[in-house]
Amino acid sequence: MAASRYRRFLRLCEEWPVEETKRRRDLGAALRQRVAQAFREGENTPIADPEACDQMYESLVRIHTNYYKNKYPRLKDTTFTGVTVEDCRMILATDILKQMEDMKKGTWRRLREKFSAKKPEEDLK
């Protein structure tokens, strides 16, 4: 039985897309990592709680197939602020978040980081 569970999780990992715009914050990459940890021995991995494993799989399938999005369709694809899905994706991209973090820094701190030989974290110690 562990072999079939392992194969189902592998199939789900193959189908789950990886979002390049969300480096180190991507759900697909996190899923792959967790499956690799949970099934270290591959098909021969003993499963302590098969029911919990099956529930986890079913939950992930519902997320992947947009079950609740399809079950409860929205009238509009915007938020109450009027921001669209594409705008949200753009804002949540890692590069944009990095730029926004850099904008929060003061001019003096940016210059000091740019020309300093040591890392800014060392200055705070």
Side-chain angles (χ1 to χ4, degrees):
M1 246 353 219
S4 65
R5 285 184 177 92
Y6 175 65
R7 281 188 231 115
R8 288 188 330 178
F9 273 101
L10 282 182
R11 197 171 332 115
L12 181 63
C13 287
E14 289 173 3
E15 293 174 3
W16 205 293
V18 175
E19 291 190 45
E20 295 297 325
T21 61
K22 294 182 181 177
R23 291 182 295 275
R24 296 188 319 247
R25 300 178 303 116
D26 180 38
L27 184 58
L31 173 66
R32 286 170 181 77
Q33 184 180 21
R34 292 286 304 266
V35 168
Q37 288 174 352
F39 292 97
R40 287 188 181 133
E41 298 173 26
E43 294 181 351
N44 299 326
T45 303
I47 297 174
D49 190 359
E51 290 178 13
C53 182
D54 291 341
Q55 285 179 345
M56 179 67 69
Y57 175 77
E58 294 301 324
S59 296
L60 289 169
V61 166
R62 283 192 297 269
I63 292 170
H64 176 62
T65 59
N66 290 322
Y67 175 80
Y68 291 105
K69 179 183 177 185
N70 297 331
K71 185 175 180 179
Y72 304 106
R74 298 178 60 159
L75 299 176
K76 297 180 182 179
D77 286 335
T78 61
T79 63
F80 72 96
T81 60
V83 177
T84 64
V85 175
E86 279 304 312
D87 291 340
C88 287
R89 281 195 183 118
M90 184 185 75
I91 291 169
L92 293 175
T94 303
D95 297 336
I96 300 297
L97 290 175
K98 175 80 172 125
Q99 287 176 3
M100 289 172 48
E101 188 67 33
D102 289 342
M103 287 173 48
K104 289 180 184 177
K105 295 178 184 176
T107 305
W108 180 248
R109 187 171 185 179
R110 269 187 268 143
L111 287 172
R112 193 172 79 206
E113 286 178 2
K114 187 174 183 178
F115 294 110
S116 176
K118 52 185 176 174
K119 295 181 180 177
E121 292 86 28
E122 294 174 6
D123 291 342
L124 298 174
K125 293 180 181 176

